[in-house]
Structures are given as structure tokens and as C-alpha cells.
Amino acid sequence: MTSATTNEREIIAALDIGSNSFHLIVARIVDGSIQTLHKVKQRVRLAQGLSADGTLNQAAIDRAIDTLKQMAQTLQDIPSHNVRVVATYTLRKATNVQEFLNQIESVFPYPIEIIPGKEEARLIYQGVAHTVAGDENRIVIDIGGGSTEFIIGQHFTPLKLSSRSMGCVSFTEQYFPQGKITERNFQKAILAAERELEPIADSYKSVGWKSAHGTSGTIKAIRESIVQNGWSDGEIKANHLEKLKQTLITFENINNIDIPGVSEHRRPVLAGGLAVLIAAFDSLNISSMRYEDAALREGVLYEMEDRFQHHDIRERTVESLSQRYAVDTAQAARVHRSANFIFEQISDSWQLNKKDFQQLLSWAASLHEVGLHIHSTGYHKHSGYILEHTDMPGYNLEQQLAVATLVRYHRKKLKSAEIANFNFYKSNKIVRLIRILRIAVMLNLRRIEGYLPQYKVSVAGEALAIQFPDGFLSEQPLLEADLHSEVEMQTDAGFDFSFS
């Protein structure tokens, strides 16, 4: 490894665009542990700007723009490939997320990965698992602004992952109108949270755990208030939560809250977060909990380091899905080789960088036949549906949709007008990858090893041409017929494809 590579890897940064706060951490990972260099936390309360129909209002977007502009200044001296930005509940739910991304693009030049709820839960657990010793089962709870994540894990392996639609911002707004704190409002919020937990409670309790750990600002504030009131030395128990609830009720309104250990910024959302935690203790029979400082951003950092070391969980996800759906791995490998062979010849001309687009193509080639597990007829549609809707640890929402899209259109009609809009990837480049994958699949329809010669692929604009050695196609009439069919389908889609 060169010294330049070492220097580039020395400093890494993770930014968590949360529903309540934006958290930035700049660090080095030394001997498997995070050495924090700088931390920034800004309360933006994105979830406060999310309407009932899922629209994120302009005031919330403006707050985000102002904060991200500051964050960009902090990150400007760090190589962009050493920066990872993840967004959670509010941007998952916002129907106008593309408008948000368009507006922040000019002030924040880093790609934003919107991650699924279970992926958020997995990363939170990774952050805790790297900082809390022990091999016995543990439950981790992270109360965010719009969602709360519940994870049971053992050592570094998550056993149960769930993200529930309840958070300190959303619950405070919904169940404590005009900031009124009453016993009745608390009971409504607690009951709503218990209903949200009902689908997972029994399965979580059946797996069980030896210790409970809480992360996030809400649980930190609850722990601090309990300690400073002299009720505990740091351990959180159900009776402490009840005492805190009764204390909040005495203030009657959120604006009047004045509790040691609860900052001015935390007070407006404490009631909703407390209701969620009370419901979690009740529904899951939690006896006691300890607060942990590590959370999503630390999990992101540790995973970045794993990727630098070529330990990418996304590759394990591909292997797991291949096994689950009994994929013909020999055929997947043939398609994979052909797709990469074509990619290498035309990636420069089509401006497809290897880091992002070759990965997508490789994943899609490996998984294009998962739908055969359902039925051979229309299996490409089954494959696309499975990959769009299954859990794919390590993938953000756009990566998952991109892989599903490549697989969905790898055969039969190519309907480019139906392809979703992308932000992380440009849609025209996704279409180019689809065309590469289609040809790679078509060349290997016979499922025979090593029969293909060294062929050449070239592009001129969007026109794609493949040239075989003289005499090869005259000996392969079935392949020639398949090529003619592909020419017709790509022509119908508005693309020029030729062979000779």
C-alpha cells in the first residue's frame, strides 16, 4: 500500500441526516477502534416539516440547506471517497425527496444515500457492537425523530432487525398538541407506540436478550435527567421512566420544561420520546437499560473501514440471496464474466466509472435469475420484484432499486420510459448498464462454458456494436437468431444495436 493511499484513508467522515438532528463525525479507525477527531451536531428537525401527505415543507428544506452548507465546509479537506452520507426516516417518507436533493446539490457536493429502515437498524447495531463487549444476546433501541429501531444481536451479528414508524419529533407533535403535557396525552402516545410494537413484540421476546442498550439523544437525555435527579447511577428502569413522566406532567406545557440534564434543544421533543421508551419497556418486558454513545454514524464509519479492507457486506448479501433462491451460480458466473468483459471495453466511452457502475452490473449479473425460484415464465419480472422488496443488508435504497431495475429489464421488452428516476445514478447510465447486461445474458443462453470467442464491443454515442471473429456466427445459428431478436427489441426501445 502506498503512502498516498494510507494518507487518504487516514481520515474518514460519516454524516447522519436524521429526522431530528444531523450528526457528523470525522475520525480515524486505529486498531479497530474509532479515534474521533471532530463531531458536529445540528438540530434541524426535518420531521417537523413532514406533512400528513408526505410532503417536506420548504422551511425544513431551508434549515437542511443551511446546515449542510456548514457541514460541507467541515468536509472540504477530506477526500470525497472517504465521506459517506446516509439519510433516514424523513427522507425515506418524503414524496418530494427529489426536490430536496435538487435544492441541496449546489451547496453539498456529496451523494446522499437514503437507507431502508432495517439497514439503519443494522448500522446502528454495528456501532454498538464495536463498542460494547460481550457475546450474549443484547437488544439495542434507538429513538430517532421519526422512527425507532429495535435490534437483537449477538456479538457482531444482528439476529432481529426492525424499524418502527414512531419517533420523538413525530410523537410529540401528534400526541402533545400545542405542547400540552397531560396524563391523557401520555396514555394516547404510549398506547399508539404499543400498537406499533405489537407485530414484533412476541418474536423479539422469544429470541430474548441478556442486556438492553439505548442510543440516541432522547435516551441520553432521559438517562441524564434520571441521574441528576438522584434516582439512579445511570441504569434506566421502568419506575424511573414513570417518575420522569409525572415530573413532565407537572410542567403542563413543553415550553415550561426545566429539568436538570435535559438541554433546551431536547425539551421540545422529550415527551414523545419518553412515551416511546415507556411503551418499549412495557411491550418487551425490559427490566433495565444502559445508554451507549455509539449509534448510526459510528456504524457507518466501521462499515467504511470494512469496505476499505474489501470486507463488503453487500457481497455477502449477494451470496445469501443466491443460496436462498437456488441460483445456478455457474450460469451467474458466466453472465458476470461476459458483462464485465463488455463493460471493460466500453466503460470509458460511456463514462461508466468502475467503482459505482461495475459493482451494480456485477451484482445484477449474479442475481438476475433469482425469479426462477418462482416460475420460469416472466422470471425477469419476478427477479426484479424480489430484489426491489427483499431485505438487502448493506444496500441503500437507490442501490437496491438500481439492481432490481437492471434485473427487471435484462430480457424481453426494454421499456426505458418505465425506468425510475435516480439521483445517486443517472438514469441514462442505468439504461446503458441494462443494455450491457441484456447482451451478456443473451450470449450465454446456451449455458455452455467457454464456447464464446474473443469478441469486440464498441459504442458511438448510444449505438452499440458487437463484432465476432470471421465464421463464428455461421456455426452458431441459434446465437445469430437471438442476436437478431435483440436488435429488434433494442430498436423498438429507440436504441441502435448491431452485430457482425
Side-chain angles (χ1 to χ4, degrees):
M1 183 179 292
T2 66
S3 59
T5 305
T6 303
N7 290 336
E8 284 181 357
R9 284 190 46 206
E10 216 169 55
I11 298 176
I12 57 179
L15 173 58
D16 163 17
I17 298 180
S19 296
N20 187 42
S21 303
F22 291 9
H23 296 266
L24 172 66
I25 180 169
V26 179
R28 282 192 291 251
I29 296 185
V30 180
D31 296 328
S33 297
I34 288 177
Q35 185 182 86
T36 302
L37 304 176
H38 185 53
K39 273 188 178 183
V40 179
K41 177 181 178 181
Q42 294 286 346
R43 287 171 181 83
V44 180
R45 298 218 171 93
L46 269 188
Q48 219 169 48
L50 196 63
S51 66
D53 67 357
T55 303
L56 188 62
N57 67 33
Q58 190 59 47
I61 294 174
D62 289 342
R63 292 195 300 273
I65 289 172
D66 290 342
T67 301
L68 290 172
K69 193 182 296 184
Q70 297 171 37
M71 300 283 190
Q73 292 174 354
T74 302
L75 293 168
Q76 63 185 353
D77 294 328
I78 302 173
S80 59
H81 55 269
N82 282 12
V83 177
R84 189 175 177 199
V85 184
V86 298
T88 57
Y89 178 83
T90 299
L91 293 189
R92 282 199 295 270
K93 297 296 181 183
T95 55
N96 59 333
V97 65
Q98 192 59 51
E99 183 183 336
F100 170 89
L101 295 171
N102 291 341
Q103 289 192 44
I104 62 101
E105 191 174 12
S106 61
V107 299
F108 191 74
Y110 303 93
I112 295 174
E113 301 178 44
I114 302 171
I115 56 176
K118 283 191 175 181
E119 177 65 4
E120 181 182 357
R122 187 187 67 81
L123 288 168
I124 288 166
Y125 183 76
Q126 290 305 310
V128 173
H130 277 86
T131 54
V132 177
D135 292 329
E136 295 179 321
N137 284 13
R138 53 196 168 207
I139 187 168
V140 176
I141 299 176
D142 184 292
I143 300 175
S147 65
T148 299
E149 282 63 51
F150 295 83
I151 312 99
I152 297 176
Q154 184 181 60
H155 199 43
F156 292 107
T157 304
L159 305 174
K160 303 283 286 185
L161 295 165
S162 183
S163 179
R164 313 307 298 173
S165 296
M166 53 186 186
C168 62
V169 176
S170 57
F171 261 46
T172 300
E173 288 202 333
Q174 189 171 355
Y175 295 104
F176 299 88
Q178 288 82 50
K180 293 178 182 177
I181 307 175
T182 65
E183 180 70 39
R184 180 175 174 79
N185 287 347
F186 256 115
Q187 290 310 313
K188 286 182 179 179
I190 293 167
L191 180 60
E194 288 176 343
R195 284 177 175 165
E196 184 66 26
L197 284 168
E198 192 172 6
I200 70 167
D202 286 345
S203 64
Y204 271 56
K205 286 185 285 189
S206 68
V207 173
W209 55 86
K210 290 291 185 181
S211 60
H213 307 266
T215 68
S216 76
T218 289
I219 296 178
K220 181 180 182 180
I222 290 170
R223 192 276 306 267
E224 288 302 309
S225 63
I226 287 170
V227 170
Q228 294 203 32
N229 273 291
W231 302 335
S232 169
D233 63 354
E235 192 175 22
I236 303 170
K237 294 188 174 182
N239 65 309
H240 302 146
L241 301 180
E242 179 63 27
K243 284 183 180 180
L244 184 56
K245 185 187 86 172
Q246 295 303 326
T247 302
L248 286 181
I249 290 171
T250 64
F251 291 108
E252 298 183 348
N253 193 283
I254 283 169
N255 296 326
N256 302 328
I257 294 174
D258 186 10
I259 299 176
V262 180
S263 69
E264 182 181 346
H265 296 293
R266 179 59 52 180
R267 292 169 193 168
V269 295
L270 182 63
L274 178 60
V276 169
L277 192 58
I278 289 172
F281 267 65
D282 289 347
S283 297
L284 300 173
N285 298 335
I286 297 172
S287 58
S288 67
M289 171 181 284
R290 289 278 179 182
Y291 169 74
E292 308 297 343
D293 196 42
L296 175 61
R297 56 198 174 276
E298 285 81 10
V300 171
L301 285 179
Y302 283 117
E303 184 138 298
M304 287 174 70
E305 180 68 5
D306 282 346
R307 290 184 186 179
F308 284 137
Q309 299 292 343
H310 306 292
H311 304 144
D312 194 333
I313 189 174
R314 293 172 297 185
E315 299 300 333
R316 295 200 297 273
T317 295
V318 170
E319 292 174 12
S320 174
L321 288 171
S322 296
Q323 292 173 6
R324 186 190 312 171
Y325 292 101
V327 167
D328 180 346
T329 53
Q331 174 66 0
R334 285 188 283 269
V335 172
H336 188 190
R337 283 196 300 272
S338 295
N340 280 335
F341 182 67
I342 297 169
F343 183 93
E344 291 287 350
Q345 294 183 70
I346 64 177
S347 58
D348 289 342
S349 298
W350 268 1
Q351 297 179 317
L352 299 170
N353 74 72
K354 294 182 179 180
K355 178 177 179 292
D356 295 323
F357 293 104
Q358 195 165 24
Q359 271 189 327
L360 284 180
L361 187 61
S362 296
W363 295 328
S366 298
L367 296 172
H368 74 282
E369 288 190 336
V370 293
L372 281 173
H373 189 76
I374 297 175
H375 202 280
S376 59
T377 301
Y379 79 84
H380 56 297
K381 296 179 183 179
H382 303 320
S383 296
Y385 184 87
I386 288 169
L387 294 175
E388 185 175 351
H389 295 94
T390 196
D391 292 330
M392 294 184 67
Y395 289 79
N396 62 52
L397 287 175
E398 188 147 321
Q399 287 170 337
Q400 183 167 353
L401 179 60
V403 174
T405 301
L406 264 63
V407 167
R408 165 64 179 83
Y409 294 103
H410 83 265
R411 65 192 291 264
K412 301 295 185 180
K413 290 183 179 180
L414 173 54
K415 301 176 182 178
S416 54
E418 294 181 1
I419 293 171
N421 290 321
F422 290 86
N423 178 69
F424 201 65
Y425 310 106
K426 299 300 182 185
S427 295
N428 70 314
K429 294 186 177 180
I430 294 295
V431 173
R432 288 173 173 176
L433 291 184
I434 290 171
R435 295 177 68 196
I436 293 172
L437 182 61
R438 289 175 68 91
I439 295 168
V441 171
M442 186 260 307
L443 292 176
N444 290 281
L445 287 176
R446 295 179 64 189
R447 308 177 95 87
I448 298 174
E449 195 72 38
Y451 90 101
L452 287 169
Q454 287 292 309
Y455 52 90
K456 294 180 181 179
V457 182
S458 59
V459 294
E462 294 304 317
L464 189 154
I466 183 168
Q467 181 181 4
F468 295 98
D470 291 343
F472 173 72
L473 286 179
S474 63
E475 298 174 0
Q476 304 292 337
L478 293 178
L479 174 59
E480 187 172 17
D482 290 333
L483 284 163
H484 279 297
S485 295
E486 183 62 23
V487 168
E488 289 180 14
M489 284 187 279
Q490 293 214 22
T491 300
D492 289 343
F495 300 109
D496 186 355
F497 171 55
S498 60
F499 65 92
S500 61

